[in-house]
């Protein structure tokens, strides 16, 4: 499908559905849910279905399972350490990541995403360490694969964790340059695929990177490696704890990524981003952050019917945990509610730092 077909498809899909995203023959665009087939109160009492646990289970429209989860893990050299702003999350040594992947697999979690802490001494203006075949990400991927060949491994493609300035690409006179960056990202993706990474996830928001990475992977014989594109990635304040955890915050404070990540005010633009990534060969698409962007997930799922993922980012996790630690929220219930919201919005799966605790809770029933 070329981009024009995809956009056309998305328009006709949108017309066939009402505001709830439910397809109804002859439904007017934007019309309210039809009440024609429903008696009025008191014949109809919606509370009847809600009265018992068994009937609530019967009519439940969405379900969250371990199969829906991708677990992001942080890896570093030396010792494992706690991330202060993300209670319950640690930066793990490679050996601990291997154990953690085994635990995830036992719990039925299909995939993990590995994010590295790069020593300051290894960072540079051009982020060259990202291309080092022996860097910590590659070693972690290879170690996990060797011990657990059946768990999916996802790696970010972006330079922010490797550059001294913390931007996702190469900078020239203060501008993150697009096409030169894409060339480096292709090489980064290749290095990760060679290490055994199953899912390449470009998170940099450069134009044209998905197509270029796809071509690079195919030419090198990695046509079976998947691409999960961070398609609608917003310039968000909710990434703060992640940048603390991995030391990727700009040295002079406040990473301003607004010249490449999306404006939180925009929604139509997200569909154009997703359409381009699909046309360029993305296997799966992502909306990020999660909870403040549920409307985008719904629009993307309705328009493209693609495998669609949400990223419950570090700031969302931190808010829920901090409130729970203060006794202001029931942490477990709030976490489950926020995760089922992604399914309801149309996501096929969720990247969440709470994957392990959630899978355990789901198993316990
Ligand atoms: C790197 C990247 C970021 C996140 C995932 N990949 C941060 C950023 O773009 O600054 C954020 C994840 C989170 O906050 O949990 N490009």
């Amino acid at each position: 499908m070329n981009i024009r077909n995809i956009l056309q498809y998305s328009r006709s899909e949108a017309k066939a559905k009402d505001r709830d995203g439910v397809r109804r023959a002859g439904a007017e665009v934007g019309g309210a849910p039809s009440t024609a087939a429903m008696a009025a109160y008191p014949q109809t009492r919606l509370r009847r279905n809600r009265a018992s646990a068994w009937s609530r289970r019967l009519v439940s429209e969405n379900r969250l399972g371990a199969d829906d989860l991708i677990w992001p893990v942080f890896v570093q050299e030396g010792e494992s350490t706690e991330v202060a702003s993300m209670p319950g999350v640690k930066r793990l040594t490679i050996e601990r990541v291997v154990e953690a992947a085994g635990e995830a697999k036992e719990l039925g979690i299909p995939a993990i995403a590995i994010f590295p802490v790069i020593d300051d001494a290894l960072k540079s203006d051009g982020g060259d360490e990202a291309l080092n075949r022996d860097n910590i990400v590659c070693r972690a991927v290879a170690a996990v694969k060797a011990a657990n060949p059946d768990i999916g491994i996802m790696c970010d493609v972006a330079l922010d964790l490797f550059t001294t300035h913390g931007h996702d690409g190469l900078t020239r006179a203060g501008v993150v340059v697009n096409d030169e960056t894409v060339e480096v990202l292709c090489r980064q993706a290749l290095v990760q695929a060679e290490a055994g990474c199953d899912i390449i996830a470009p998170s940099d928001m450069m134009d044209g990177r998905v197509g270029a990475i796809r071509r690079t992977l195919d030419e090198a014989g990695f046509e079976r490696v998947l691409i999960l594109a961070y398609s609608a990635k917003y310039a968000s304040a909710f990434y703060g704890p992640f940048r603390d955890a991995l030391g990727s915050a700009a040295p002079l404070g406040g990473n301003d990524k607004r010249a490449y990540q999306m404006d939180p005010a925009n929604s139509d633009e997200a569909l154009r981003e997703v359409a381009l990534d699909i046309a360029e060969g993305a296997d799966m698409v992502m909306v990020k952050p999660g909870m403040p962007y549920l409307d985008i997930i719904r629009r993307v799922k309705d328009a493209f019917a693609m495998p669609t993922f949400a990223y419950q980012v570090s700031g969302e996790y931190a808010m829920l945990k901090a409130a729970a630690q203060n006794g202001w929220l029931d942490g477990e219930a709030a976490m489950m509610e926020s995760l089922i919201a992604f399914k309801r919005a149309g996501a096929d799966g969720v990247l969440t730092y709470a994957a392990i605790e959630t899978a355990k809770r789901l198993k316990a029933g």
Side-chain angles (χ1 to χ4, degrees):
M1 240 200 279
N2 66 28
I3 177 123
R4 190 163 307 142
N5 289 344
I6 288 170
L7 283 170
Q8 213 131 40
Y9 168 72
S10 93
R11 270 196 293 272
S12 58
E13 276 288 284
K15 274 196 201 115
K17 291 174 180 181
D18 69 13
R19 202 181 278 153
D20 300 329
V22 178
R23 198 187 305 263
R24 287 194 181 85
E28 273 178 47
V29 180
S34 167
T35 49
M38 214 168 97
Y41 168 86
Q43 283 82 356
T44 292
R45 290 177 184 270
L46 291 175
R47 287 186 56 188
R48 275 197 288 262
N49 283 341
R50 293 180 203 141
S52 315
W54 63 264
S55 60
R56 287 193 296 272
R57 266 168 41 225
L58 273 176
V59 302
S60 165
E61 297 175 35
N62 293 287
R63 203 169 295 265
L64 178 75
D67 289 344
D68 301 318
L69 305 174
I70 297 178
W71 183 33
V73 294
F74 301 149
V75 62
Q76 74 178 359
E77 308 280 8
E79 302 276 303
S80 295
T81 53
E82 311 264 343
V83 179
S85 54
M86 299 176 73
V89 172
K90 287 187 179 141
R91 307 171 191 88
L92 302 170
T93 60
I94 291 182
E95 302 86 81
R96 295 280 99 79
V97 169
V98 171
E99 288 169 13
E103 188 184 11
K105 188 174 168 288
E106 283 302 304
L107 287 164
I109 294 171
I112 63 171
I114 300 180
F115 293 95
V117 178
I118 302 298
D119 281 348
D120 280 342
L122 295 173
K123 293 188 184 185
S124 63
D125 209 36
D128 308 280
E129 177 66 6
L131 308 180
N132 174 2
R133 284 190 166 75
D134 202 32
N135 69 22
I136 184 167
V137 200
C138 293
R139 281 182 282 122
V141 169
V144 172
K145 267 289 135 181
N148 290 290
D150 299 334
I151 193 161
I153 306 180
M154 166 172 158
C155 289
D156 245 43
V157 169
L159 298 182
D160 54 334
L161 305 181
F162 302 88
T163 53
T164 36
H165 44 73
H167 276 300
D168 291 33
L170 304 176
T171 58
R172 303 276 178 253
V175 174
V176 174
V177 289
N178 196 88
D179 299 7
E180 255 183 278
T181 296
V182 170
E183 282 174 33
V184 180
L185 297 177
C186 287
R187 291 164 60 202
Q188 182 185 19
L190 194 54
V191 162
Q192 292 173 347
E194 284 167 357
C197 173
D198 302 290
I199 309 175
I200 294 292
S203 75
D204 54 286
M205 291 302 279
M206 298 300 117
D207 288 319
R209 90 279 207 215
V210 171
I213 291 171
R214 184 71 272 162
R215 277 191 298 281
T216 304
L217 292 174
D218 288 356
E219 277 163 21
F222 290 110
E223 68 280 344
R224 291 172 61 193
V225 169
L226 286 84
I227 296 183
L228 197 178
Y230 285 74
S231 299
K233 177 170 177 179
Y234 287 86
S236 174
F238 289 95
Y239 307 148
F242 173 97
R243 292 175 187 167
D244 293 343
L246 299 179
S248 65
L252 299 176
N255 292 50
D256 187 350
K257 299 191 175 184
R258 286 175 298 180
Y260 46 105
Q261 297 180 344
M262 281 185 60
D263 181 345
N266 294 355
S267 169
D268 289 343
E269 187 187 355
L271 298 190
R272 294 164 66 213
E273 282 286 1
V274 171
L276 281 166
D277 287 354
I278 296 170
E280 290 175 29
D283 301 287
M284 305 168 170
V285 296
M286 192 205 291
V287 173
K288 179 185 171 195
M291 201 148 73
Y293 298 89
L294 293 174
D295 57 319
I296 308 298
I297 298 169
R298 170 49 67 196
R299 285 194 76 187
V300 166
K301 188 64 182 176
D302 284 349
F304 303 108
M306 279 287 284
T308 303
F309 289 81
Y311 199 142
Q312 181 187 53
V313 298
S314 56
E316 297 174 62
Y317 177 89
M319 286 195 300
L320 290 169
K321 290 290 174 185
Q325 280 187 340
N326 277 300
W328 297 336
L329 275 181
D330 174 339
E332 290 189 4
M335 182 59 76
M336 289 310 252
E337 185 178 332
S338 71
L339 293 173
I340 197 68
F342 293 120
K343 296 294 305 266
R344 194 191 63 241
D348 295 282
V350 189
L351 285 94
T352 174
Y353 299 98
I356 291 283
E357 62 181 71
T358 301
K360 282 184 183 160
R361 212 168 294 139
L362 289 168
K363 199 172 169 185

